């Protein structure tokens, strides 16, 4: 279990599963399918997103504790679908690995498919967050290719494959 804290609303939300994220997003008027990860992360006052950062190279993205907020920076050298995945993964790190970030000041992503335990955990959660199970199953049945499914959810085909391989 993890917590997310919205300073603006002075609310600490318990996160036990994906439905808790979806409920929180819906309460804020945020689209679930496709999940509007940018709007959702921007709904927290203690997180700042720097999109299309050109100073990150060779990193795809990073999350860093800076004063009273967390800064998420995403490289401008990746496609929008990958940017969404990177943002979702960095947000996942914030929710589930906050203590690690606070101790080490940041997490950097050089390769989206890194095999360390925290990255694998974050990628799996990202795939589930960006592609809700019930809708995902329906769309997979309707589409002929991974590319079609990826386009529907605005993610990469690799993320679709990860979601399929970990459906339950």
């Amino acid at each position: 279990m993890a917590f997310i804290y919205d300073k603006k609303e002075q609310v600490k939300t318990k996160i036990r599963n994906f439905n808790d994220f979806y409920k929180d997003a819906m309460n804020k008027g945020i689209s679930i399918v496709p999940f509007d990860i940018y709007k959702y992360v921007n709904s927290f006052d203690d997180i700042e997103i720097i999109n299309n950062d050109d100073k990150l190279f060779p990193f795809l993205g990073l999350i860093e504790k800076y004063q009273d907020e967390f800064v998420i920076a995403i490289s401008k050298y990746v496609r929008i679908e990958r940017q969404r995945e990177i943002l979702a993964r960095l947000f996942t790190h914030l929710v589930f690995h906050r203590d690690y970030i606070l101790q080490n000041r940041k997490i950097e992503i050089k390769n989206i498919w890194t095999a360390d335990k925290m990255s694998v955990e974050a990628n799996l959660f990202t795939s589930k967050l960006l592609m809700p199970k019930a809708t995902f199953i329906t769309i997979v049945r309707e589409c002929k290719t991974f590319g079609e499914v990826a386009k529907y959810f605005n993610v990469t085909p690799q993320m679709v494959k990860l979601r399929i391989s970990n459906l339950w």
Side-chain angles (χ1 to χ4, degrees), residues 34 79 81 84-85 130-131 136 139-140 143 145-161 164:
R79 299 184 334 253
E81 299 88 351
R84 286 173 35 78
E85 294 167 2
L130 294 178
M131 295 174 276
F136 182 75
I139 298 305
V140 165
C143 293
T145 66
F146 288 133
E148 289 176 4
V149 177
K151 189 174 183 177
Y152 182 86
F153 289 102
N154 202 14
V155 297
T156 61
Q158 295 92 337
M159 194 60 67
V160 171
K161 290 176 187 175
I164 286 173

Side-chain angles (χ1 to χ4, degrees), residues 6 16 25 42 46-47 52 82 90 99 118 126 149 155:
D6 188 330
R16 289 185 214 104
N42 275 321
D46 62 341
I47 304 172
N52 294 322
R82 181 68 78 208
L90 290 167
D99 290 340
M118 278 190 345
T126 293
V149 177
V155 297

Side-chain angles (χ1 to χ4, degrees), residues 52-65:
N52 294 322
D53 193 329
D54 63 353
K55 298 175 187 82
L56 280 175
F57 189 79
F59 298 101
L60 300 173
L62 68 82
I63 184 165
E64 183 172 30
K65 176 71 171 158

Side-chain angles (χ1 to χ4, degrees), residues 66-80:
Y66 181 74
Q67 295 177 354
D68 288 341
E69 66 181 8
F70 293 92
V71 176
I72 295 176
I74 302 168
S75 174
K76 72 178 188 178
Y77 299 108
V78 293
R79 299 184 334 253
I80 187 66

Side-chain angles (χ1 to χ4, degrees), residues 88-139:
R89 178 169 154 187
L90 290 167
F91 179 71
T92 298
H93 281 306
L94 176 59
V95 173
F96 292 101
H97 308 126
R98 181 182 294 259
D99 290 340
Y100 180 89
I101 296 168
L102 293 173
Q103 279 184 333
N104 297 287
R105 304 293 301 160
K106 63 183 166 184
I107 291 178
E108 300 166 321
I109 299 174
K110 204 172 202 176
N111 177 345
I112 195 84
W113 302 112
T114 308
D116 65 272
K117 185 180 184 227
M118 278 190 345
S119 296
V120 169
E121 206 175 68
N123 276 340
L124 180 57
F125 191 87
T126 293
S127 73
K128 292 178 178 182
L129 182 64
L130 294 178
M131 295 174 276
K133 185 177 180 178
T135 307
F136 182 75
I137 291 170
T138 301
I139 298 305

